[in-house]
Amino acid sequence: MTPCPRCGRPLTAGLPRCVYCGADAPLRIAAATPETVLEPTPTDRRLVLLRVEGPEPDALARALGIAAADATHRVRRGGWQLLRIAARDAAEEQARRLGEAGLVAALVAEADVRMASRPVVALGGEWTARELSLRTGEGPLQVETSALMLVVQGPIVREYQTSQEVKRSRTATLEEGYRFHLHRHGEVRPVELDPGAFDFGAAASAASSLLQLSSWVQELGEGVSLDDGFRRLPPELGVAVAVAGGPLAAADALGVRGGRGGRGEANLVLDNLRQFRFYSAWRGALERRASEGPPSG
């Protein structure tokens, strides 16, 4: 990846400006073909996860070597939290030390999480009162309650980033999105439901798409673990992931339709969908570890 000459962060091929600071990209980068989605790079690293449930902030601060204010924030969030991604030996050593401090820690393989970060995206479907019958870009798919292991859900923040004075331009001017991830037994990749790009067909109702999908997921996931902790995380924004919806949706995500006001400026759309997918991926890996035994290594 080529670094931005202003902020040093990686430039995205095919985009005229840096996503992070708005600096103009070199012509060869702006004109390049956007990167294709590659298979996850083989890695032996591990994610160190901590279950924050019950410890006092001072004790947590000492165990993690962090400021008291940061520890207080972690205690308020509660639940499973990602501490770091580290080489296998370093991760195992940290997990051991956390255990000795009376805390609950777990490790999951980064390779598994990276694979699970690429969900099977549902394009549409219907609820049959016993299963969710879906159409995906990879073919038809049925999800029954008995196959469901975990449901992860959360809001997706979307903002415009204009080309100049980035800090002042980050105003929430777009409607927020939402995602549901259905993690199934025996499958690493979750099924992703996007209320904003889901075709209900004849099953469409007068209710909003979010309420309708929420109702279906609630019925499907009765008795299944539900994780909505993503809503407590501060959003980490990047270039919006193109959603199913044809070329106009992709064009809007890249800001190539002339920009607002018809001035021809590229107005990038930023979102935290990648952050949600990564959160859901490690959360699913953790749930799988609990239900099917510890992961390899």
Side-chain angles (χ1 to χ4, degrees), residues 33 39 63 103 130:
T33 302
E39 291 294 328
L103 301 174
R130 61 184 182 85

Side-chain angles (χ1 to χ4, degrees), residues 37-47 82 84-86 108-119 188-190 274-275 277-282 285:
V37 177
L38 303 176
E39 291 294 328
T41 303
T43 174
D44 193 41
R45 297 196 303 177
R46 297 292 187 266
L47 277 68
L82 172 63
R84 64 187 293 212
I85 303 175
V108 295
E110 182 187 17
D112 293 342
V113 174
R114 297 295 179 188
M115 180 61 70
S117 297
R118 301 167 54 200
V188 174
R189 298 168 63 202
R274 288 183 179 86
Q275 181 191 11
R277 287 176 173 174
F278 190 76
Y279 173 88
S280 174
W282 67 252

Side-chain angles (χ1 to χ4, degrees), residues 91-102:
E92 290 177 347
E93 172 62 20
Q94 183 173 21
R96 182 188 64 78
R97 287 190 281 104
L98 291 172
E100 291 175 350

Side-chain angles (χ1 to χ4, degrees), residues 225-260:
S225 297
L226 170 68
D227 186 301
D228 67 346
F230 182 74
R231 61 187 171 84
R232 303 188 188 97
L233 297 181
E236 298 176 5
L237 302 179
V239 176
V241 177
V243 299
L248 291 184
D252 280 338
L254 293 175
V256 298
R257 294 184 63 196
R260 289 172 291 171

